[in-house]
Amino acid sequence: MRKTLALVFLGFLIALLNPLMSVFAQYPDIPPQPIPIEPGILPPLELVNLEANCITPGSSCLGWDEQIWDENGRKGDRTALLNSIDNSLRYLATPEAMAAYQNYPVKEITLDRIRDSLLRFRQLVINSNSPAQLQAAVQREFVFYQSVGNDGKGTVKFTAYFEPMYTASRVRTAVYKYPIYRKPPDFDNWSKPHPKRVDLEGKDGLLGNKSRLRGMELLWFRDRWDAYMIHIQGSSQIRLTNGTTTSVGYAGGTDYPWTSIGKELSKDGKLPAKSLSMPGITRFFQQNPREMNNYLPRWERFVFFRETNGSPAQGSIRVPVTAERSIATDKSLMPPGALALINTKIPYPTPSGQLVYRNVNRFVLDQDTGSAIKGPGRVDYFMGTGKLAGDRAGVTGGNGRLFYLLLK
């Protein structure tokens, strides 16, 4: 995907603690193709009967998405949801979508059925005036395919990612000295194993003219942690020191797996379990900046970027991702661009500035992936752009359920 490496966390916390979880929704160089299920292997989705789970429709039942409509002074996001649907419809008209669905492992799920389902759902969103109306229409006209999850019983681990915003300079200065890099023009010809992070930027991130990446610097940051976070998230909005703005997105990366910095800190006794959150880890490195020289190189993968001139973050299907309406899943298993419904706990800000968890049903579009998002039991939820989105992503985590909706 671009372009977002998106993210990926307890939100960030769980990702930092578990290398099998996503650290970013990250755009592969070649879009992953669905893998036909071999005999004896459980398909990733199975048709379920919702009537057995919900006798009386209402807010406690699947499909009750109150966020779409204005309520009690809160602005609904119906327009954002419709735009996200349109983004998926654009993807479904591409040759890449045709190729992805040719060998989809669940034979009942076809490109035509996915597209028709989106078109009908779009009409229902426009015509419905309340969560109850939309819920009733969806349950009347759609069937639900549930992810088998990570246990074969539908349990799905949720994290969240976001697009940060940082300040950077186009030139190196005494203050702005930590670079991110463009992808070298000969990168596809680099022999493997690729150089490690420490080989490309040094233990302190300041290898500079001694690096084989000399001359490929894209932007410079004052804080090494900011530059590193962009490697994790895979995209960022940028405020330049000259007063203008731009953005960067994922362009490629070396071939190494994710290493959990949080897990490394815990293993070495540097942080107690209660401090292994994004704020806790950030605070540790702010208080002990030299420890970055020891820990950041342990993630050996190195990420390259391109300037995207203020464009929004994009997903692996090469359409923009939408705050709280886009998810990342394993695209070798899950249907790209499809309409889905998630049921999990998500943190929301209160008037006092605290974050409290709410159990939500949310209609979403499956538009992204991640190099560490593997199997049918993982979902990464795009929280949006900026500090609040990052704060919320950093404490998003836990189990839930994932469904895909198709017309009967």
Side-chain angles (χ1 to χ4, degrees):
M1 62 174 246
R2 168 170 120 165
K3 298 180 178 184
T4 57
L5 290 157
L7 210 282
V8 166
F9 277 20
L10 193 86
F12 185 73
L13 162 61
I14 291 178
L16 286 168
L17 292 175
N18 187 344
L20 295 180
M21 294 182 177
S22 159
V23 282
F24 40 68
Q26 180 170 293
Y27 177 10
D29 296 326
I30 300 175
Q33 298 298 309
I35 301 171
I37 298 297
E38 298 178 3
I41 297 179
L42 193 67
L45 302 171
E46 59 183 11
L47 186 64
V48 294
N49 179 11
L50 290 184
E51 294 180 359
N53 300 321
C54 188
I55 299 175
T56 304
S59 60
S60 62
C61 297
L62 287 173
W64 184 278
D65 188 346
E66 78 287 348
Q67 186 163 297
I68 299 172
W69 291 273
D70 298 351
E71 183 181 41
N72 299 326
R74 175 189 55 77
K75 185 71 174 174
D77 70 345
R78 188 201 306 242
T79 299
L81 175 57
L82 293 173
N83 288 339
S84 192
I85 293 170
D86 291 342
N87 289 336
S88 276
L89 287 169
R90 281 194 294 274
Y91 162 73
L92 293 171
T94 66
E96 291 78 9
M98 293 180 62
Y101 279 96
Q102 276 183 346
N103 297 310
Y104 190 72
V106 181
K107 65 179 181 179
E108 296 85 0
I109 298 179
T110 65
L111 188 149
D112 287 343
R113 195 178 181 195
I114 292 289
R115 181 177 56 241
D116 291 345
S117 300
L118 279 176
L119 289 169
R120 179 55 182 157
F121 181 74
R122 192 182 195 282
Q123 291 177 332
L124 294 177
V125 171
I126 292 172
N127 295 333
S128 298
N129 296 313
S130 69
Q133 283 188 8
L134 182 60
Q135 181 188 53
V138 166
Q139 293 191 1
R140 182 174 61 249
E141 299 189 30
F142 288 77
V143 293
F144 287 59
Y145 283 80
Q146 184 175 7
S147 169
V148 298
N150 52 41
D151 58 358
K153 299 178 181 179
T155 302
V156 174
K157 177 66 69 177
F158 281 80
T159 54
Y161 67 107
F162 76 111
E163 183 182 44
M165 176 171 283
Y166 295 119
T167 301
S169 171
R170 289 198 182 276
V171 296
R172 190 184 192 281
T173 70
V175 174
Y176 292 87
K177 57 186 179 181
Y178 296 103
I180 60 173
Y181 293 88
R182 300 178 179 87
K183 187 171 83 169
D186 63 346
F187 176 68
D188 293 341
N189 297 321
W190 282 17
S191 61
K192 294 184 179 181
H194 286 151
K196 298 177 181 179
R197 174 177 294 274
V198 70
D199 301 322
L200 295 174
E201 68 175 9
K203 289 192 67 173
D204 59 0
L206 297 172
L207 192 58
N209 290 339
K210 296 180 181 179
S211 171
R212 70 182 293 177
L213 297 177
R214 176 184 178 183
M216 300 306 298
E217 296 89 351
L218 179 61
L219 294 170
W220 306 81
F221 296 82
R222 71 185 320 167
D223 190 324
R224 186 182 182 189
W225 184 246
D226 290 352
Y228 189 80
M229 281 292 293
I230 298 175
H231 278 239
I232 292 175
Q233 298 297 335
S235 68
S236 179
Q237 296 294 319
I238 303 293
R239 291 182 295 260
L240 293 169
T241 53
N242 63 10
T244 62
T245 60
T246 187
S247 59
V248 296
Y250 176 79
T254 56
D255 190 20
Y256 289 99
W258 167 247
T259 296
S260 166
I261 302 305
K263 187 174 182 179
E264 293 293 304
L265 288 166
S266 177
K267 181 181 70 176
D268 293 348
K270 297 291 186 177
L271 279 179
K274 65 180 181 180
S275 297
L276 289 178
S277 64
M278 181 172 121
I281 293 167
T282 299
R283 186 165 52 250
F284 173 82
F285 284 128
Q286 287 173 341
Q287 295 171 352
N288 305 275
R290 292 193 177 185
E291 291 283 17
M292 283 191 278
N293 298 349
N294 181 21
Y295 285 96
L296 301 197
R298 297 190 189 188
W299 182 32
E300 296 174 339
R301 180 176 174 84
F302 198 83
V303 179
F304 305 110
F305 298 91
R306 62 187 183 88
E307 190 165 356
T308 54
N309 302 310
S311 297
Q314 287 196 359
S316 61
I317 64 172
R318 307 190 186 194
V319 301
V321 287
T322 303
E324 302 197 56
R325 294 297 176 183
S326 295
I327 60 171
T329 64
D330 185 341
K331 288 298 176 293
S332 70
L333 297 172
M334 299 306 178
L339 173 66
L341 177 68
I342 60 171
N343 174 225
T344 190
K345 291 184 182 295
I346 294 175
Y348 286 87
T350 66
S352 64
Q354 294 180 315
L355 293 175
V356 297
Y357 291 88
R358 297 200 329 240
N359 189 55
V360 301
N361 289 294
R362 190 72 71 240
F363 292 109
V364 294
L365 286 302
D366 194 341
Q367 297 171 328
D368 210 347
T369 193
S371 67
I373 304 175
K374 301 299 183 185
R378 284 290 286 115
V379 169
D380 210 22
Y381 181 76
F382 181 59
M383 199 66 80
T385 300
K387 183 180 184 305
L388 178 58
D391 291 344
R392 295 175 67 201
V395 294
T396 296
N399 292 332
R401 296 180 293 171
L402 169 66
F403 303 86
Y404 290 86
L405 282 62
L406 290 100
L407 278 172
K408 293 180 178 178

